[in-house]
């Protein structure tokens, strides 16, 4: 065998939360097997302080660690730090950028996803994905007076809230903010938080963070250039903005202006490039970049943050192989996390769950699901080798997510936005301004989803009610009555 040719029983690609969880699972099931983790980044992401909040809700911190810590804990893991250049599923071999050939018996691809940028070659359009790209964002922000944030998912929500000392124009394609997570009612509840004066702070980071020092050879600059769509760093996760002071050039908070129901039509660097010249009375100011929105408005700003979703990182694996891809570009996986290619599994942001899901679960490219999928892929690969049967894990029974938006605790359960229910549902809402927002989705009298914002203390009871599908028709009027202790009620 050539020096740069290696062979392992299990190979996992990607040092994000899915890949690391998968490789740890495999290594603990087969402590004497050869297991390799191939990852492009110098640091891995590890789950720390894992806490089960209820049957399905879980909370954890994420630590960025040198990959050597993985090898110290699991001596049978070899970490290869290089990007995968290509895969040949016929010969079960991967080629890495640094010229190695790595053979496998079973492979799990956990290469994550990258930001879907509005445009590739405009230096004034930034994506936010990993530590380096947040640092680049922070640097550009420090001299900015106005930025445009485009997108309506979790990243945009967190960004607009965290940025201070700079005017933020927020372009959302929907009628309400945060459409990925809430409905218009919840958005209405949160809007005052955007208007309130927010503290200037760089909160203490709960997670250990190892910074990649700028290399004397200019490697740091290369990394910054890589904060765009082809970067291979791991995605950030919960609390990603903690520890970063996100302040613009102005002394005071400049507020957020939301432009609803619009998208970016065109980006240009000079008003001379406008197709039809602006009316003489219009004054757009002098900015490095201008954006024409589909609502006809023109916004001049220092730079644009493109937070319009992600694209699964599949490029290195497709050529010459026969992977079935989902509509969103992810590798299709079945209920054993198997792709369409033999002996190749996938987990996390790179994959698309294509099994018949439980009526209360849907895939969302989130931290928790990356962990659950990575863990289940590891278990499933092990079961295959041991020729043992394995069933889809309970964590895929009910969608559940716990996070923080605008400093409020947010819990979302099941079909929280009545996804796929058409008109066949009923909503119950309780809202106390500045304190809590509770929404319940009922179908046929049974609870199928919920959004809980604030310290509601209802998550466990509601999770149980969703899981046991009790007919709540007789209790509907009392369900959100704040004077009734609902936990006792259903005890
Ligand atoms: P990643 O973490 O992206 O890891 C992919 C790994 O693959 C990396 O190590 C990379 O180096 C490696 N890789 C890629 N290509 C190759 C290659 N060709 N060869 C070798 N290695 C390769 N989720 C939440 O639940 N809550 C949040 O609050 C939240 N906030 C977020 C904020 C931001 C700014 C972003 C970008 C994402 C956020 N997410 C959040 C989403 C969450 O971070 C992702 O869902 C999760 O990290 C996906 O994990 P993963 O392991 O699948 O992929």
């Amino acid at each position: 065998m050539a020096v740069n040719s290696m062979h392992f029983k299990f190979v996992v690609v990607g040092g994000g939360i899915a890949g690391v969880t998968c490789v740890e699972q495999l290594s603990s099931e087969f402590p004497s097997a050869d297991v390799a983790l191939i990852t492009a980044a110098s640091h891995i992401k590890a789950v720390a302080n894992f806490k089960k909040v209820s049957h399905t809700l879980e909370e954890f911190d994420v630590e960025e660690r040198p990959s050597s810590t993985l090898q110290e804990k699991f001596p049978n893991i070899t970490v290869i730090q290089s990007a995968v250049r290509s895969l040949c599923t016929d010969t079960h071999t991967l080629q890495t950028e640094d010229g190695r050939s790595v053979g496998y018996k079973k492979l799990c691809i956990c290469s994550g996803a990258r930001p879907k940028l509005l445009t590739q070659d405009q230096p004034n359009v930034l994506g936010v994905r990993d530590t380096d790209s947040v640092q680049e964002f922070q640097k550009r922000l420090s001299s900015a007076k106005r930025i445009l944030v485009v997108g309506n998912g979790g990243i945009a929500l967190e960004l607009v809230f965290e940025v201070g000392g700079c005017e933020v124009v927020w372009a959302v394609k929907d009628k309400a903010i945060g459409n990925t997570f809430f409905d218009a009612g919840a958005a209405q509840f949160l809007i005052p938080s955007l208007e309130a004066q927010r503290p200037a702070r760089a909160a203490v980071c709960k997670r250990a963070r190892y910074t990649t020092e700028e290399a004397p050879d200019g490697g740091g600059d290369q990394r910054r250039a890589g904060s765009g769509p082809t970067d291979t760093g791991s995605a950030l996760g919960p609390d990603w903005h903690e520890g970063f002071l996100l302040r613009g050039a102005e002394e005071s908070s400049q507020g957020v202006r939301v432009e609803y129901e619009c998208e970016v039509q065109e980006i240009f660097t000079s008003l001379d490039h406008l197709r039809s010249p602006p009316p003489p009375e219009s004054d757009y100011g002098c900015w490095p970049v201008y954006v024409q929105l589909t609502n006809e408005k023109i916004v001049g700003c220092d730079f644009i943050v493109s937070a319009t979703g992600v694209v699964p990182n599949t490029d290195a694996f497709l050529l010459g192989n026969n992977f079935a891809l989902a509509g969103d570009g992810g590798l299709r996986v079945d209920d054993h996390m198997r792709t369409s290619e033999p002996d190749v599994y996938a987990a996390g942001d790179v994959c698309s769950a294509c099994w018949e899901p439980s009526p209360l679960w849907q895939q969302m490219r989130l931290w928790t699901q990356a962990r659950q999928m990575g863990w289940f892929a590891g278990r499933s690969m092990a079961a295959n080798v041991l020729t043992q049967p394995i069933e889809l894990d309970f964590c895929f029974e009910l969608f559940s997510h716990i996070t923080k938006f605008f400093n409020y605790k947010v819990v979302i359960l099941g079909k929280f936005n009545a996804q796929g229910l058409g008109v066949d549902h009923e909503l119950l809402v309780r809202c106390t301004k500045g304190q809590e927002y509770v929404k319940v989705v009922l179908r046929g009298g049974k609870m199928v989803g919920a959004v809980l914002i604030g310290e509601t203390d209802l998550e466990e009871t509601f999770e149980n009610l969703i899981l046991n599908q009790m007919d709540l028709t007789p209790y509907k009027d009392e369900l959100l009555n704040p004077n009734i202790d609902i936990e006792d009620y259903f005890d």
Side-chain angles (χ1 to χ4, degrees), residues 14-15 17-18 39-40 84 111-112 129 232 234-236 349 365-367 401:
I17 216 69
T39 184
V84 168
S111 50
R129 170 165 185 80
T232 43
S234 298
L236 294 156
D349 281 7
R365 289 189 165 85
L366 293 167
W367 211 233
H401 186 56

Side-chain angles (χ1 to χ4, degrees), residues 400-453:
S400 57
H401 186 56
I402 183 161
T403 187
K404 249 190 176 171
F405 286 125
F406 300 3
N407 273 344
Y408 287 102
K409 175 176 167 185
V410 173
V411 175
I412 48 180
L413 296 168
K415 299 288 172 186
F416 56 91
N417 250 350
Q419 299 95 320
L421 301 184
V423 288
D424 179 23
H425 68 274
E426 192 182 345
L427 301 180
L428 306 178
V429 176
R430 174 174 101 197
C431 180
T432 312
K433 208 173 164 202
Q435 201 180 323
E436 59 160 28
Y437 175 89
V438 178
K439 180 182 84 172
V440 164
V441 185
L442 297 175
R443 185 182 45 187
K446 295 171 182 168
M447 196 184 293
V448 290
V451 175
L452 309 173
I453 306 179

Side-chain angles (χ1 to χ4, degrees), residues 12-21 37-45 60 62 80-86 95-97 109-115 127-130 133-134 154-156 158-159 181 230-241 310 313-317 347-351 364-371 373 401-405:
V12 177
V13 178
I17 216 69
V20 171
T21 312
L37 176 73
I38 309 181
T39 184
S42 57
H43 288 66
I44 54 138
K45 292 262 153 91
F60 51 86
V62 175
I80 300 170
Q81 199 211 312
S82 180
V84 168
R85 184 164 13 125
S86 63
Q95 299 296 330
T96 62
E97 288 292 353
I109 301 175
C110 304
S111 50
R114 60 185 187 272
V128 177
R129 170 165 185 80
D130 49 21
S133 57
V134 177
I155 297 172
E158 295 192 90
L159 260 188
F181 291 99
T230 52
D231 185 30
T232 43
S234 298
L236 294 156
D239 315 324
W240 59 275
H241 41 74
V310 294
N313 279 327
T314 56
D315 295 357
F317 309 96
D349 281 7
V350 72
C351 79
M364 282 182 84
R365 289 189 165 85
L366 293 167
W367 211 233
T368 9
Q369 290 197 355
R371 194 201 69 79
M373 286 179 168
H401 186 56
I402 183 161
T403 187
K404 249 190 176 171
F405 286 125

